[in-house]
Amino acid sequence: MNPTFLHSFLLVTVLVCITTCTDNNSEPDNSFTTLVWSDEFNSGDSPSSENWIFDIGTGEEIFGQPGWGNNELQYYTNRSENIRVRNGMLEITAREESFQNSGYTSAKILTRGLEEWTFGRFEASIQLPFGQGIWPAFWLLGDDSDGMEIWPQIGEIDIMEYRGQQPTEVHGTIHGPGYSAGEAITDKYVLSSGRFDTEFHVFAIEWGPDFIDFYVDDVLYNTITPEDVGSDEWVFNDNSFYIILNVAVGGWFAGFPNDNTPFPQTMLVDYVRVYEMDN
Amino acid sequence: MKMNMMKNTTRIVFTAFASLIIFAGCERSVSGLSEPTLTNNPEVFVDGFSAGLEYFPYTDGFAKLDAFQVDSDVTFDGAGSSMRIDVPNPEDPTGVYAGALFRDINGGRDLSGYDALTFYARGSKAARINQIGFGQNDQNSNYQVKVDSLRIATYWQKITIPIPNPSKLTAESGLFWFAENPEDGDGYSFWIDELKFEKLGNIAQPRPVINGGVDQQIVSSVNLTETITGFSYTSNTIVELPDGTTTSRDVTVELAPSYFDFVSSNSSVATVNQFGVITMVGEGMATITATVDGVQAEGSLDVTVGAAFQTAPVPTVDPDSVISIFSDAYTNVPVDYYNGFFIPDGQTTEGGTGFDGGPPGADIVVDGDGIINYTNLNFVGIGTFLDVSPIDASDMTHLHVDINVQEAVDAGDFIRIQLLNGVQTSNETSGVVTIDSNTLMENEWVSLDIPLSQFGLVDRSQLGLIFFISDETVSNIYVDNIYYYTDGSDIVSGPPTVDINPAPTPTADSDSVISIFSDTYTNVNVDYFNGFFEFSTTQGGTGYAGGPPGADFKIDSDTSNGVINYTSLNFVGIGTFQDVSPIDVTNMTHIHADIYINEALDGGDYIDLRLVNAVEQGNENNGNTVRVPTADLTQGEWTSIDIPLVNFGLDAYDEVGLIFFISDGTISDIYVDNVYYYDSGEVIEALPAPTLPITFDDSEVSYAATTFNGASYEVIANPQVSGSNNTASNVGSITNIGAQFEGIYFNLESNLDFNDGTTITMDVYSTTSVPVLLKIEDGGSNFVEVAQTHGGSGWEELTFNFSSSAAFPRVTIFIDGPGTTSGTFYIDNIIQQ
């Protein structure tokens, strides 16, 4: 999730990526077999407070700008209308309604301060929502050492980002110092059949020292290494990262909803699992 | 022209694919299987006609039959051929649009395994194809899908039309259809290639809609039906862009109702079938909703069902004796329309337009009984003269129609039925019969069996229009069972008749008569027997086709005897001043008229007569009104009236141009016969006008007065011998209707000269206190007037003091001139002191 700038430059980095990614699609040597943390969303009515905290509001409290700095339109709440656990699923629902001066409501949960990791396999099984201007994400953000460090120095790994109007495409991206926002390192995965908004798909990274592999349904579609960031600093070998799940409405990445965007829109999460890297 | 999708098609077999038809035979089922298995061949036109496909251009007379060509020059993939459609220019004599369906003639295909019809399209210019889709064929289009206004470009683009619910398409023969008008007024060409059904697997986010997405509440009745409309279906398709990225696009189609599964929340109140037709089966409430493949549709109908609708009585006349226009009991003749929408003529009437799938003209169907519902009725015509044969009702005796008025029936309401024969020919004739408020019923069926003779049509072999005319008096009616029939009686050809006794045959010597309307004498020419003046409500005097002028009926027992029938009478004039010579009756002594009262009489009823000389000339002269009071009239009988012409008080009798009959609505339905002037041989001196004192008692003086603004006047015996007028003698009686400035005046034999005295006294009888104004004037702008207040105690003598030395010939009296007091007042003993 780009907290500040211009995804209109995304195309540039895509092209950069295409030239480099193809070299790195070799089968990784590392394995991630030990489950160390998971939420299967099989009990309770709301996300477990042992696993998750809520981000309430527009994102201003973290990044100092409303709309997460992306011109997003939603107000995040912890109401059951926006987030609940039901039928073994986490449901995050974006709604069109006036709430706290915003035109839309949704929800965002984080493991920040509860569980944070360095390296591992992070995976989630998700059925995505649909519609112009809907922007769900499953992502990791680096710890800011109680405010001692700031984005993008802390590092960001977007395991899955998606535009509701492109229901067969997802994007995997990293942000760090010198390669953030419009210059982030990114690639996309396009389904050859089916759609992300009609069925569950598993989105994952396998992350170890000096590499991050991006998967959709166990298909490796991108590997990012320090080579890809060139002379810029690789910030993914030391810091600990926490998981974020959210559905944004509007913003530079997905554009804005229009009259044809059906509301409400719900992201269904069957599970989130973290495996540690085998030694 | 906004084209309609016409399902009439013609089959054009291309020799180029005749071999494919033979090939199609190979795909038929193996013999021995009880049910042939339909092919699931997805190809419609990939590089040529697929097996079983045929081209059927629309045969509505507007589509260009040869708009379609197989084109091997312009193809999507450079192989085989494409479909080229040449949209004609608007003035093209071979057709003004391109429209066709492509049907599988081998019994259809099983398309349930696919989720879209796809094809590549391009145009010779960027355009919008008006309508395009699949699921349309000659037999039924239960699964029709249509995209409106499909954009195409000048390069090949892939088009995807989703199948809303593929499981329904197990035997679909309508594989493709389109209809396209010229673009911006010009013809052009477009190409279709790689036309096939596909299983894309990425069509999602279905958003079905019924009733336009509206949750609507309607009120209905048991046995009525309502038809759901407003069906659409939006789904999301994936579009691959040339740069390898993808996006998605919502595609909205209009679809046939059978794609939906309809549900009634209460099937004991309302049921709904696969065509979205709701049938009300019991009183109560029910909600109708629908799903497509399990997805809830937006929109619903809440029906509140009331007690059963009453249908018209089922006709019992033998079908062999009937020519039916609109009835479920008979086979109807072809009709151009049940509502001609004569908008330029001021028609406001709606209805008679039927609904999709219903019987022609029926706006409502109850238990299989179609009913026309005319609303905003002023007049409406049912036509049988444009594209269908006019109706020959020569052998019929009656017109039957059932009418149910859907509102309160007020006095004065009517529905006039008019038949037109030979519409838009030089022999066009018409006749009317008026159904009045006594016959019409609110919320009840009234069965009318009208003898055709009453319409007075000499020829009814070319009936082309039936009009229902209410002039807005009745606005909402149900109509059913419109048919001509014969009851087996002799056909009465010729005039309409009325069953009353004839008027007495005139006895005056024809040499001493100037006849206006009589079968005994030769009548002079008249302009009209009903001038239809402004504010006149009077009908009649219009005669019937082929009959003598003015005669609305012949007498049943004497069909040589014509009579006028004035109805809705308030006043009516017979004119002889426009295109004919005014009548010189200087040598006549009387006017005669026979009047038959066709209704019950009340005490205040009357018929007034008035003559006008020199109509519309500088010396036009109205004269006096001469009253025939209630006492002289009898219900159901002829009254012969003979009035000395001098009583009309005209200045001259040499150019009489109008005879008025006036009832002011007190009598509404009369027959009139034998209107003529005659010379009785007597010498009748006109009685002189009065001079003051006016006592109403001098038999040698005419006390005729002229009334205005509603007042009426007569001379009667003093009914209240008391007070200031304690003598039994004649008095003047003035009746006010309650209008402002109503009153009467006397034209005096000689001027009233105030030099002979400036005080005038008058006895006035009133039981309410009213102002009484006495005005002495020349009839022009010169006058003097004095008002006095009457105390309302009965007979009072009022004294009017004029400070004037003028001399004027007219005395005008207003009882409560500025006010609106109604009632009868008496005057007597107008004396100059």
Side-chain angles (χ1 to χ4, degrees), chain B residues 609-663:
Chain B
L609 276 73
R610 178 185 284 185
L611 303 182
V612 185
N613 201 57
V615 177
E616 293 183 353
Q617 300 179 36
N619 57 337
E620 176 175 309
N621 184 206
N622 270 280
N624 299 322
T625 299
V626 178
R627 172 155 302 181
V628 182
T630 312
D632 291 351
L633 299 167
T634 307
Q635 180 187 359
E637 288 186 15
W638 288 101
T639 299
S640 290
I641 294 163
D642 296 89
I643 302 171
L645 291 176
V646 294
N647 291 9
F648 291 96
L650 291 169
D651 297 336
Y653 293 84
D654 56 342
E655 294 183 285
V656 176
L658 276 166
I659 303 170
F660 278 106
F661 293 88
I662 306 161
S663 77

Side-chain angles (χ1 to χ4, degrees), chain A residues 125-195:
Chain A
S125 177
I126 299 174
Q127 178 175 311
L128 289 164
F130 165 78
Q132 166 68 39
I134 304 293
W135 179 12
F138 167 40
W139 51 304
L140 308 180
L141 199 56
D143 192 276
D144 68 352
S145 304
D146 291 329
M148 296 296 287
E149 291 192 67
I150 61 165
W151 191 91
Q153 185 65 39
I154 56 175
E156 172 182 332
I157 304 170
D158 299 327
I159 303 170
M160 181 281 298
E161 288 186 284
Y162 162 92
R163 299 180 176 98
Q165 63 269 33
Q166 294 177 316
T168 55
E169 280 187 26
V170 291
H171 302 258
T173 306
I174 65 167
H175 302 260
Y179 49 97
S180 67
E183 293 166 37
I185 313 299
T186 185
D187 197 4
K188 67 178 180 183
Y189 178 80
V190 180
L191 280 177
S192 56
S193 68
R195 298 165 58 117

